[in-house]
Amino acid sequence: MNDTIQRFLFEHAPVRGEIVHLDATWRAVLARHAYPPAVRTLLGEMMAAAALLTATLKFGGTLIMQIQGSGPVQLLVVECTSDHFMRATAKWADVPATGALHELVGDGKFAITLDPGGGRPGYQGVVALEGATVAAALEQYMLRSEQIETRLWLTATGNCAAGLLLQKLPERGGTDSDAWPRATTLAASLTPQELAAFDARELLRRLYSAEDIRMFKPRAVDFRCACSRARVATMLRMLGREEVESIVAEHGEVEVNCEFCNERYRFEGGEARAVFAGESGAPAQATRH
Ligand SMILES: [Zn+2]
């Protein structure tokens, strides 16, 4: 199956949706770190959710979905650009095999940031860490922050992360007010295995064969890390000349590992010093590497 986001619309009812399948994109994330099963499930569900929300929210830049936990799962980060390039990473310690969201991340912070890039100010929304799943927490968030009734079904295995999103649109002249409960009840009958196994066309055929569904052109999703040597150089400038000099003095070089893609950036003594050449002493801009 391809890595795609499929938008669809109920032709005669105020309901729209998105279906995402991440295969190679998800496997590219899994190939870079050996995630324990519970972390893998959370991270994969967040991958699917981030792709779905990126397709839903109108913005240009990068959507960053991040959970900082105080439980066994310490950090989950998923990024999706508005042209659907994704990357993800996590940090954890002694994770149980399974557990509800709040058990795994403890008293954490769940934030969604829309970063327009280019140093322009972004927007950050805080997702209440309630409900047993990533989907439940995000449904509440969408209702509160976007005032849009949203339902999400998410699943992640070792091969595939997938998701289905439904949104209730404003009623048009009171027609078919039963459509929303009908659409969500049918979607709730879907098993995680079916969601992962069937492509968007087949899922819609199985769920909504009695409805008139309009499918839009599917959009491709792919793994791509935004790291670069230039971004690492910016990060070294943020660390400061003194700190970088002390690392060079101790290790003979500075080595930075990208936590998303494992790419290793090495700056030998002269290269590390060259990062600060021509610096006026003004504080550098904060940038993710
Ligand atoms: Zn990277």
Side-chain angles (χ1 to χ4, degrees):
M1 212 184 292
N2 293 323
D3 292 56
T4 51
I5 303 177
Q6 173 69 58
R7 174 170 297 179
F8 62 93
L9 190 67
F10 280 49
E11 204 68 79
H12 306 294
V15 179
R16 70 170 180 183
E18 304 272 354
I19 292 171
V20 67
H21 279 103
L22 303 172
D23 295 325
T25 307
W26 177 225
R27 287 197 297 271
V29 169
L30 294 180
R32 283 163 173 84
H33 297 286
Y35 295 109
V39 177
R40 189 186 74 186
T41 302
L42 282 184
L43 196 63
E45 290 179 358
M46 284 172 66
M47 285 278 285
L52 291 169
L53 293 193
T54 301
T56 306
L57 302 168
K58 287 187 181 70
F59 77 102
T62 304
L63 180 144
I64 303 156
M65 198 178 273
Q66 179 166 324
I67 298 178
Q68 276 174 303
S70 63
V73 179
Q74 297 151 350
L75 180 72
L76 298 152
V77 191
V78 172
E79 296 185 7
C80 185
T81 68
S82 42
D83 43 6
H84 305 121
F85 289 109
M86 302 195 74
R87 63 177 187 171
T89 192
K91 286 192 176 73
W92 65 92
D94 298 326
V95 179
T98 57
L101 178 62
H102 52 85
E103 290 164 1
L104 292 169
V105 303
D107 197 13
K109 187 189 171 195
F110 188 171
I112 293 178
T113 306
L114 301 180
D115 177 5
R120 285 168 292 168
Y123 160 85
Q124 188 173 76
V126 175
V127 183
L129 267 173
E130 57 194 10
T133 61
V134 170
L138 289 172
E139 286 171 356
Q140 285 303 313
Y141 171 80
M142 290 300 285
L143 191 58
R144 280 181 204 154
S145 77
E146 304 286 320
Q147 281 86 47
I148 303 175
E149 217 170 311
T150 305
R151 294 295 314 275
L152 279 163
W153 291 269
L154 307 169
T155 187
T157 69
N159 288 313
C160 172
L164 163 64
L165 170 147
L166 289 178
Q167 282 186 331
K168 187 180 179 185
L169 299 171
E171 303 257 350
R172 292 170 302 207
T175 52
D176 201 0
S177 58
D178 184 44
W180 178 249
R182 197 168 68 238
T184 52
T185 303
L186 284 168
S189 71
L190 203 64
T191 66
Q193 291 76 17
E194 288 169 329
L195 180 57
F198 300 124
D199 67 14
R201 185 170 294 278
E202 179 62 16
L203 280 175
L204 291 172
R205 193 188 66 76
R206 283 170 177 256
L207 288 175
Y208 303 127
S209 57
E211 311 281 346
D212 198 357
I213 300 283
R214 191 197 311 180
M215 290 175 73
F216 294 79
K217 193 169 179 281
R219 286 148 293 164
V221 189
D222 208 350
F223 177 88
R224 183 187 287 174
C225 192
C227 71
S228 68
R229 196 170 170 85
R231 283 182 173 218
V232 175
T234 303
M235 199 200 72
L236 295 182
R237 277 192 287 276
M238 281 169 58
L239 264 184
R241 189 190 296 262
E242 209 173 305
E243 178 71 20
V244 169
E245 287 285 0
S246 84
I247 297 170
V248 170
E250 192 177 343
H251 302 283
E253 63 174 14
V254 182
E255 189 180 291
V256 178
N257 246 13
C258 174
E259 61 205 17
F260 288 95
C261 71
N262 286 348
E263 182 73 37
R264 195 169 288 191
Y265 295 95
R266 302 169 89 137
F267 291 74
E268 288 169 16
E271 293 172 320
R273 262 170 241 120
V275 163
F276 297 93
E279 198 177 59
S280 63
Q285 196 78 38
T287 310
R288 300 177 74 88
H289 70 274

